[in-house]
Amino acid sequence: MSTTGANADPLAALGSLPGVAESVESVRKAVDRVYGHRIMRRRSTEITAEAALRGARGSAALSGADWALEEVRRRTDFSGDAEARVMGAALRLSAEAGQLLSIWRQSPLRVLARLHLVAAASNGDEVGRPRQAGEPVDEPLIELPLPHAQEVSGRLEGLADLIITGTSASALVTAAVVHGELLALRPFVSHNGLVARAAERIVLIGSGLDPKAICPAEVGHAELGRAAYLEALDGYVSGTPEGMAAWIAHCGRAIELGARESTAVCEALQRGAA
């Protein structure tokens, strides 16, 4: 996404794209429904914990580790094969995201570096910083052309400036752009998808749309499927109004599905308490 030009708030301009206002309203209603559930008054901490677990499972599925939820609950060691390490990274990011809210608005690049450090769980020189020219990127499920390191640096700075300056754009639009930009840039040598989805979660929490983190968009992205996810990402990367609107709508639908998931958890807890 271009972050330069006469428009001082390019994120807000995306709100006028066809269908975006409808997506924003639909997301708000879905989130309000789950927050209004009677079980939330007494057991919101449990809902938050369950949403974090399910969100991590969904994010890992999109990065190639599509495990059953009960398998994620059962396992304690995530240091084995590649899929286990992906799942472990997703779980660590899910736990970390809520701890970084106070830093995000002041220093989003610092938060992104921290997220990569947590995901990679390594002390390598390439961890926790944007990739440099010539460094390979391990992101096999995203086959888009890889921007040059210099372009990555400039676009990250532009994205950070928008977040620090603030925007009148909705939480959905802001979260979708942060998510899409990080996927398009793949600024780190690994774990970019996991980091992008964790950053989306941070925006949704910090914006006040989902302050208790009970509407895991990652669940919805996984439910909609990897093919639809990548197709919508193609729209974002195209930069066309239609493509951008389609990506924002896709992210909106994912949040709605995350809210539906937590509503089902609320219903199950309510039945158990009856």
Side-chain angles (χ1 to χ4, degrees), residues 35-182:
Y35 271 87
H37 198 285
R38 60 186 299 181
I39 207 75
M40 282 291 295
R41 292 195 294 271
R42 294 179 288 112
R43 303 179 71 174
S44 65
T45 301
E46 293 174 69
I47 308 301
T48 296
E50 187 66 19
L53 181 69
R54 294 179 184 225
R57 193 216 72 82
S59 189
L62 289 168
S63 287
D66 193 359
W67 290 13
L69 185 60
E70 291 311 312
E71 176 67 7
V72 182
R73 293 190 203 280
R74 184 186 67 80
R75 290 283 285 268
T76 57
D77 181 8
F78 296 94
S79 61
D81 60 19
E83 285 195 9
R85 291 193 295 274
V86 167
M87 185 61 69
L91 289 166
R92 290 191 299 273
L93 285 174
S94 188
E96 187 76 8
Q99 311 303 314
L100 299 172
L101 295 173
S102 62
I103 306 172
W104 175 253
R105 283 296 300 273
Q106 286 73 42
S107 185
L109 296 184
R110 180 180 164 197
V111 169
L112 293 175
R114 174 62 183 170
L115 290 174
H116 186 245
L117 187 66
V118 168
S122 166
N123 294 321
D125 291 342
E126 74 283 1
V127 173
R129 60 155 174 81
R131 56 184 168 85
Q132 298 175 357
E135 288 184 326
V137 174
D138 180 15
E139 203 72 41
L141 301 179
I142 299 177
E143 299 177 351
L144 294 167
L146 194 65
H148 189 275
Q150 185 174 359
E151 179 184 351
V152 169
S153 178
R155 286 172 63 174
L156 280 179
E157 289 289 347
L159 184 64
D161 286 346
L162 285 173
I163 293 165
I164 293 168
T165 302
T167 176
S168 61
S170 68
L172 168 59
V173 169
T174 306
V177 168
V178 168
H179 185 172
E181 193 73 354
L182 293 174

Side-chain angles (χ1 to χ4, degrees), residues 174-241:
T174 306
V177 168
V178 168
H179 185 172
E181 193 73 354
L182 293 174
L183 286 178
L185 294 178
R186 280 145 293 158
F188 301 108
V189 297
S190 63
H191 299 92
N192 290 286
L194 295 176
V195 168
R197 291 183 288 276
E200 178 185 49
R201 172 179 283 256
I202 288 172
V203 173
L204 294 173
I205 299 169
S207 67
L209 176 66
D210 183 20
K212 294 182 182 294
I214 60 169
C215 301
E218 306 97 321
V219 168
H221 287 302
E223 184 173 337
L224 291 168
R226 192 181 301 154
Y229 185 65
L230 295 177
E231 181 180 352
L233 177 60
D234 284 342
Y236 177 86
V237 172
S238 76
T240 65

